[in-house]
Amino acid sequence: LRKLNFKSNISLNTKDFRITNAELIFDSSRVVGNAIFAVQKRLSFGASIIIDKLNLDGYFKKDSAENVGKKKSTGKSKKTLSANENKTFEANGAHHQNYKMFGDIFSKLLLLKKFDANINIKANSLIYREHTVKNVYFDGLLHNGNLEIRHFKIPKFGSLRTSVKGQIKNIGSELEIKDLNIKAHTNSIRQIFKFLNIPAPIYTKKLKKTNLTATLNGDIQKLGLKAQVGIGDTKVQLSGHLEPFNKQKLSELAVRITDQNFNRMLRRFNFVYQPRKKVGQLKIAAILRVQKNKFVIKDLNGNLGQVDLQGDVLINLSDSRPYIDWRINAGDINLNSYLEVVETLSEE
């Protein structure tokens, strides 16, 4: 921080403390806005803020390869909850053993229960990791540990557009999600993983236009999910629940996958296998259960081209040698259509 300049109008009476026409300039960034603080035992305030320009890269230390190696080799354990934090946690009906993975995040969340806020923020330009994000908008209400996200949107971040609306209740104890609606669109999944600096779980070079619409409901122990994902012409529908702290069963979802052109779908996801002839559409539905070291696909039903499919699949990863148990019933199959394409050399 090399330069700091702040000016505003301030007024105080027995009911509230007001800051109006505030302007904060630091380095190359500028923030303007208004705020009102209620004069009462519990901190309560409202704020309307416009961030003209903020370069976050100047305030976050970049991790060099050497520093990353040092962080990984420290072997220090995560911060555990204090006795007072444990009492607060248990008093709110939460299960401490399920939240050990959060470390000191819980203590930070507890701060959100100590004040109320009505916040409206617009950022005209944010720079993060050398990427510019424009017109970020957040409108929310925090009251007694409950956060209502009236509107949060990122109109454009590279090719990504996203918006979120909904409620997060009981912050700092047994989190509950109510009608949390998420929408996202991108023309390049690959760019997102590259920006986040994490390896993609699937081949992404050919995955262009992608849409996501999801709704979350329930508490943190059992979170209901309804989602639709479109990756090119491949459509995926999900409905069920997630149990992130259940060591035996992480999720159970009804899954429906459709694509009008199976051959093109294989090329899109970079499968080595390519059928010799055009297979046609893929249309399947099943119940997917993700368990500890197991994937269970139950009640599979649908068709691949002209072939009807029914059955169950078990994928067991608990041993060093994976085990797959297929029990599939299929109709009449013309194997010539499914044989792999074989390149031949012509004689001259």
Side-chain angles (χ1 to χ4, degrees), residues 5 7 21-33 49-55 59 122-125:
N5 184 18
K7 63 180 181 179
N21 298 322
E23 181 182 40
L24 174 64
I25 299 175
F26 53 99
D27 296 334
S28 61
S29 304
R30 178 174 178 266
V31 179
V32 298
I49 300 170
I50 297 177
I51 301 172
D52 184 48
K53 181 182 179 182
L54 179 58
N55 186 351
Y59 307 99
K122 181 182 178 182
N124 293 329
S125 177

Side-chain angles (χ1 to χ4, degrees), residues 116-288:
D116 299 328
N118 191 355
I119 300 176
N120 185 296
I121 301 175
K122 181 182 178 182
N124 293 329
S125 177
L126 295 177
I127 300 175
Y128 182 57
R129 291 188 180 179
E130 300 180 353
H131 289 74
T132 300
V133 192
K134 293 187 176 181
N135 299 322
V136 177
Y137 180 75
F138 176 84
D139 181 19
L141 174 65
L142 176 66
H143 178 67
N144 198 28
N146 300 318
L147 175 63
E148 179 184 358
I149 304 173
R150 292 186 288 238
H151 200 176
F152 170 65
K153 68 174 182 178
I154 301 176
K156 188 176 182 182
F157 181 31
S159 67
L160 174 67
R161 300 195 306 269
T162 185
S163 66
V164 179
K165 293 181 180 180
Q167 298 180 51
I168 303 174
K169 297 186 174 184
N170 303 324
I171 295 174
S173 57
E174 191 80 8
L175 281 176
E176 180 184 352
I177 309 296
K178 183 178 180 182
D179 295 331
L180 189 66
N181 298 307
I182 303 170
K183 294 182 179 180
H185 168 84
T186 182
N187 291 326
S188 175
I189 294 180
R190 190 181 189 187
Q191 285 184 0
I192 296 174
F193 284 104
K194 185 177 180 181
F195 170 76
L196 295 174
N197 198 27
I198 58 176
I202 57 176
Y203 182 79
T204 59
K205 187 175 182 179
K206 297 180 181 179
L207 302 183
K208 304 298 182 182
K209 185 178 178 181
T210 303
N211 296 287
L212 166 68
T213 301
T215 301
L216 298 171
N217 274 290
D219 60 48
I220 196 67
Q221 301 291 330
K222 192 173 183 179
L223 194 58
L225 168 68
K226 288 186 178 180
Q228 294 183 340
V229 183
I231 305 176
D233 294 329
T234 304
K235 310 299 180 186
V236 181
Q237 294 180 346
L238 303 170
S239 179
H241 62 266
L242 310 174
E243 299 182 47
F245 301 109
N246 187 334
K247 295 182 180 180
Q248 300 304 318
K249 186 175 71 173
L250 297 175
S251 68
E252 182 168 329
L253 299 168
V255 182
R256 183 180 180 87
I257 303 174
T258 59
D259 196 297
Q260 295 300 314
N261 191 320
F262 180 68
N263 300 58
R264 189 162 55 197
M265 185 191 79
L266 293 177
R267 292 194 295 271
R268 184 182 303 120
F269 289 93
N270 203 40
F271 281 89
V272 175
Y273 165 71
Q274 288 294 323
R276 180 178 298 175
K277 297 182 179 180
K278 183 177 180 180
V279 173
Q281 73 169 355
L282 169 68
K283 186 176 181 181
I284 58 172
I287 302 297
L288 172 63

Side-chain angles (χ1 to χ4, degrees), residues 323-341:
Y323 171 77
I324 302 177
D325 183 6
W326 299 76
R327 300 191 181 187
I328 303 294
N329 297 320
D332 296 335
I333 302 177
N334 181 356
L335 292 178
N336 289 327
S337 299
Y338 296 91
L339 292 177
E340 195 169 359
V341 174

Side-chain angles (χ1 to χ4, degrees), residues 11-18 36-44:
S11 63
L12 175 65
N13 57 45
T14 57
K15 293 183 178 180
D16 55 53
F17 171 70
R18 297 172 182 262
I36 179 170
F37 296 83
V39 179
Q40 57 187 28
K41 185 176 181 180
R42 180 179 176 84
L43 176 61
S44 180

